[in-house]
Amino acid sequence: MKTALITGGSRGIGAAVAKRLAAEGCRVAVCYRENAEAAAAVAKEVDGAALCCDVSDPVQVRKMVDTVLEKFCQLDILVCNAGVAWQGLTQDMGDTDYRRIMGTDLDGVFYCCRAVLPRMIARKYGRIVTLSSMWGQVGGSCEAAYSAAKAGVIGLTRALAKEVGPSGITVNCIAPGVIDTEMNQHLGPQALRELADETPLGRLGTAEDVAECVAYLCSPGAGFLTGQVLAPNGGLVV
Ligand code: NAP
């Protein structure tokens, strides 16, 4: 039985990934930052564990990984999913928001990968999946910091794939399009409808669409795939 740690597993894509990997027979630990009740509900549903951790803090990340190893004795899969977004003109973005975006969306991915690697390298096995965004591929207007962080995630994924491939670890990235989660609810129903209309497949993505990609990248069938970017975006960015 494999053990998976999913950051940002209390809701949205992370919760769907937790349920999907549990259905594949994995033991699952979900991390959250604030939403303890939602994380506990996901953990209960998958018979797993919920851990409070702000991924932008390297000390908390090390503690979280130690806890998973103490509880489950191994760690086979890491899904770096925790993320936050900020939209607005670049000249209006303050230092605090900038650090929050970079700290969570890029630094957090680095800290989590760094913390799990020693154990994965020792066992010569690991599956790491990072979450970028279509904006990390092509850049999003009024999302400069988010786009930069998500482009950084793609660079980190590719470099790490080369570095740890010889240790039997694959590192792949998912760059979703517009997915119907809380992250996009502030856009309102009209804008979401327009985005669905702009999407060649005619709808927004679901958290389950993304979870399906994660499950594939963690499956034995994806054993020769590393350093790649898989883009569940309905054709919005090709
Ligand atoms: P979401 O519904 O807003 O959920 C975000 C999750 O991240 C929550 O579980 C939240 O925990 C957690 N989180 C936020 N900051 C954290 C921190 N500092 N430390 C630990 N956990 C933290 O987001 P989503 O739509 O599922 O997105 C998941 C990932 O996919 C993100 O990386 C996002 O950038 C990426 N993505 C999303 C879309 C989209 O359209 N939705 C598109 C492309 C990429 P709490 O519940 O405790 O706050």
Side-chain angles (χ1 to χ4, degrees), residues 44-78:
K44 190 170 175 210
E45 189 175 338
V46 301
D47 198 19
L51 307 169
C52 183
C53 171
D54 180 343
V55 296
S56 68
D57 178 348
V59 175
Q60 290 188 38
V61 168
R62 285 202 190 280
K63 257 194 215 147
M64 168 178 69
V65 170
D66 286 348
T67 305
V68 173
L69 288 170
E70 272 161 31
K71 211 172 166 51
F72 297 118
C73 299
Q74 69 188 60
L75 185 43
D76 307 279
I77 295 168
L78 168 69

Side-chain angles (χ1 to χ4, degrees), residues 1-4 25-28 74 76-77 125 218:
M1 187 186 255
K2 302 254 187 289
T3 301
C26 290
R27 281 179 303 206
V28 169
Q74 69 188 60
D76 307 279
I77 295 168
Y125 181 87
C218 298

Side-chain angles (χ1 to χ4, degrees), residues 146-210:
Y146 182 78
S147 301
K150 293 298 188 179
V153 168
I154 293 174
L156 174 59
T157 301
R158 290 180 173 145
L160 199 55
K162 292 180 182 173
E163 184 177 320
V164 300
S167 298
I169 302 165
T170 67
V171 191
N172 289 291
C173 180
I174 297 183
V178 187
I179 309 300
D180 196 6
T181 67
E182 272 174 51
M183 188 172 265
N184 290 317
Q185 290 318 303
H186 67 281
L187 295 173
Q190 171 70 20
L192 288 173
R193 243 191 325 274
E194 284 167 15
L195 282 164
D197 289 344
E198 271 176 49
T199 303
L201 289 179
R203 66 171 175 88
L204 302 180
T206 63
E208 289 72 27
D209 289 324
V210 182

